[in-house]
Amino acid sequence: MTVATRAGVPGIIGECGGEMSCATCHVHIDTDHFPPPSLDETDLLEVVDERADNSRLSCQLELTEATGDLVIQVPQEA
Amino acid sequence: MTDIYDVLVVGAGHAGIHITSELAARGFDGRVGVIEAEVELPYERPPLTKGFLDGSVRADQLRFPGRFWDQSLFCSIMGEQVVAIDPERRIVTSSTAAMYGYRTLVWAAGGHARRLGIDSENAAGVHGLRSLAEAEYLKKQMHGSGRYMILGGGFIGLEAAAALRRAGVEVTVVEFADRLLARVTCPVVSDYFLQLHRREGVDVRLGSRAVRVETTDGVASGVVLQDGEVLAADGVLVAVGLAPNVGPLSDAGAICSNGVEVNEFGATSLPGVYAVGDCAFFPLAFPPFGRLRLESVQNAVDQAKNLAAALATGTFRPYRSLPWFWSNQYATKFKTVGVCQGYDQAIVRGDAARGSFAVVYLSGDRVVAVDAINSMRDYAGGRSLIGARVNVAAVADPAISLASLGGVSTSRTRAPGLAGA
């Protein structure tokens, strides 16, 4: 999320500053290289538009060297 | 010759900075100016009482990224405060006697920390917690041997209490009301936070009031309570709420009561003058309706974006974002959605004693607000219920998800094809 907000990616607002509170950093990811979402994240994902099987809150995705290449899509802004 | 701005924004907090960024994002090509009283570049405030105090967020990480502050997009005037508005000539005067003209004025000046008005409140060692400078000051005071006195048991006071306790500081919280968070939640939630802070070692004094700050060589050394008890302290945090910064608007003839009154589009009673954020007294689009003033990042950002979109496109839409708010204290995550006012019934879901529960506030069978304590599921479900009618008997059963109670849903979830409709 921080990478996206610093770069000004439209649709990634990060209103709560990455505290898993607002669901304004919703993305679709193409990789399973991240640890699975916590129960809280899964619950919060219920409020987003365009929920999909590969939906994640980007504030919960920590980039590491092991992450590798990935494609992240921002669902169309409501 | 006075500079004239197409849009002149007063205040570079969350509200002001989202006016400029949204104007830029929408390709607004008029001349935009921002006047800010602080000299710091704009920064995010929520972490000031949370991650910044516990060290997980550094000051440079609080700055709004450059795109919010791109000088090619607007002109910033830092360290100046607007002290007067001439609504007929459409000119503001700043604290340095400089004058700036506007076609549209957006007042996003927020508020300042209320004071108690007690003796020696201006002594060294007595401070508020709104600005980065104040947070940096408090952080320097946080070490294991200290004793802190916090006057006010609202969110700011309690978040600071949690951070201080985590750093090993002895903390006393003095609250005038007979419960914590009395203005914003129900007694069950207040009691949860009381037990939480007492378990963490905070000395919480309810129904109590400081009448004087004690000083030693001009520096705060304690406070005196109304019953005469003297409590020693190395620092005193005054966290008794926010007073909206609307003096110049009021002086210029704008209708002000609890902040400056605006309509559903953010317009004040002065032509060409709008207000957003903590200082705006606006009509709520959800129960209990009526006007209110919200002190929250969500409200500041959403009102700013809504107004900026209107200024950029010429199409004004009523503000109708769902209010929500969060607070983190120790390991507890509190979330609330809707406005906890005008309810006639508060139904508890789950067991408060077990530390994970929710409170659903109802007016008749209509949901006005949901508080969720360590219960993301109820927060998420509750978001879809604000303003909706529910089967009241089912609300108390935590086995039934709140999300399923909505009937005709006001949920934000829509079929992809309808997004934006």
Side-chain angles (χ1 to χ4, degrees):
Chain A
M1 179 206 82
T2 310
V3 173
T5 54
R6 298 276 140 181
V9 175
I12 302 296
I13 300 166
E15 195 166 283
C16 72
E19 303 213 19
M20 201 164 50
S21 289
C22 67
T24 61
C25 65
H26 173 213
V27 295
H28 295 161
I29 59 172
D30 73 339
T31 170
D32 52 8
H33 287 182
F34 292 108
S38 64
L39 201 55
D40 276 357
E41 184 183 341
T42 306
D43 285 340
L44 192 53
L45 279 166
E46 285 180 19
V47 309
V48 302
D49 293 332
E50 297 188 46
R51 170 77 189 268
D53 289 344
N54 61 346
S55 283
R56 293 296 302 263
L57 298 178
S58 57
C59 68
Q60 301 303 305
L61 304 177
E62 194 175 347
L63 297 176
T64 66
E65 306 227 329
T67 308
D69 292 342
L70 70 163
V71 176
I72 292 183
Q73 290 187 315
V74 181
Q76 191 188 329
E77 249 187 302
Chain B
M1 185 70 194
T2 305
D3 279 349
I4 295 175
Y5 295 90
D6 294 299
V7 177
L8 182 59
V9 183
V10 181
H14 285 267
I17 213 69
H18 278 88
I19 291 281
T20 56
S21 71
E22 189 70 14
L23 286 174
R26 289 177 178 270
F28 182 75
D29 60 0
R31 188 153 186 245
V32 180
V34 181
I35 304 182
E36 165 58 43
E38 286 191 38
V39 291
E40 290 278 355
L41 286 176
Y43 52 90
E44 298 196 51
R45 288 181 200 261
L48 291 182
T49 50
K50 307 180 184 80
F52 181 73
L53 288 184
D54 73 22
S56 59
V57 178
R58 297 187 316 270
D60 61 291
Q61 294 172 313
L62 299 173
R63 306 279 179 214
F64 280 103
R67 76 192 158 89
F68 283 99
W69 206 231
D70 182 342
Q71 293 301 292
S72 67
L73 300 174
F74 61 90
C75 170
S76 64
I77 304 149
M78 305 298 286
E80 293 186 33
Q81 196 172 340
V82 170
V83 294
I85 304 166
D86 181 338
E88 274 161 26
R89 294 164 62 212
R90 298 203 179 197
I91 289 173
V92 301
T93 305
S94 87
S95 44
T96 63
M99 293 168 92
Y100 307 97
Y102 63 86
R103 294 196 169 84
T104 296
L105 184 68
V106 179
W107 193 265
H112 57 275
R114 279 186 205 280
R115 308 283 285 173
L116 287 163
I118 58 177
D119 284 350
S120 300
E121 196 174 354
N122 293 321
V126 184
H127 64 97
L129 184 49
R130 271 193 69 70
S131 64
L132 178 57
E134 287 168 329
E136 280 174 332
Y137 174 82
L138 178 59
K139 199 169 173 193
K140 277 194 215 127
Q141 309 305 310
M142 287 172 51
H143 48 78
S145 60
R147 283 170 299 184
Y148 237 86
M149 190 66 52
I150 297 178
L151 308 182
F155 284 118
I156 301 276
L158 295 181
E159 288 179 7
L164 286 160
R165 282 304 298 143
R166 281 284 152 93
V169 178
E170 297 291 323
V171 177
T172 302
V173 171
V174 177
E175 167 58 45
F176 178 69
D178 62 0
R179 59 188 178 94
L180 298 172
L181 301 168
R183 203 165 55 86
V184 291
T185 191
C186 68
V188 175
V189 176
S190 293
D191 191 59
Y192 171 85
F193 279 102
L194 176 65
Q195 301 308 331
L196 173 67
H197 282 273
R198 284 191 169 156
R199 261 199 320 276
E200 296 283 351
V202 178
D203 177 8
V204 181
R205 308 292 185 96
L206 298 174
S208 187
R209 193 161 52 90
V211 294
R212 192 171 78 244
V213 175
E214 289 269 280
T215 59
T216 302
D217 299 329
V219 179
S221 56
V223 300
V224 182
L225 302 182
Q226 88 274 26
D227 61 3
E229 187 180 1
V230 182
L231 298 168
D234 302 305
V236 180
L237 169 61
V238 182
V240 291
L242 171 139
N245 289 334
V246 294
L249 281 174
S250 174
D251 292 344
I255 298 173
C256 294
S257 45
N258 177 17
V260 58
E261 293 194 4
V262 297
N263 66 13
E264 67 271 38
F265 306 113
T268 72
S269 60
L270 296 176
V273 180
Y274 297 81
V276 290
D278 287 6
C279 64
F281 192 44
F282 71 96
L284 184 68
F286 297 89
F289 303 103
R291 274 178 204 277
L292 84 170
R293 199 168 58 74
L294 285 177
E295 298 163 7
S296 81
V297 167
Q298 169 275 321
N299 187 61
V301 170
D302 287 348
Q303 284 189 339
K305 284 171 171 270
N306 190 57
L307 176 60
L311 295 175
T313 64
T315 305
F316 282 75
R317 295 183 197 285
Y319 174 68
R320 46 171 306 111
S321 292
L322 184 60
W324 65 268
F325 182 84
W326 85 101
S327 178
N328 298 339
Q329 297 169 36
Y330 312 103
T332 289
K333 285 178 175 282
F334 169 85
K335 291 183 170 44
T336 184
V337 59
V339 174
C340 186
Q341 287 177 16
Y343 61 92
D344 49 38
Q345 197 178 359
I347 297 179
V348 178
R349 283 167 60 84
D351 183 358
R354 292 184 55 201
S356 170
F357 67 106
V359 180
V360 179
Y361 300 89
L362 296 162
S363 172
D365 62 355
R366 211 172 276 282
V367 177
V368 299
V370 176
D371 286 347
I373 290 85
N374 299 319
S375 178
M376 190 70 85
R377 187 164 166 259
D378 283 337
Y379 167 72
R383 285 189 66 115
S384 65
L385 290 185
I386 306 306
R389 302 174 70 172
V390 292
N391 173 4
V392 174
V395 169
D397 184 352
I400 302 172
S401 85
L402 283 181
S404 72
L405 294 178
V408 178
S409 179
T410 55
S411 165
R412 297 174 68 242
T413 308
R414 289 183 291 257
L418 294 176

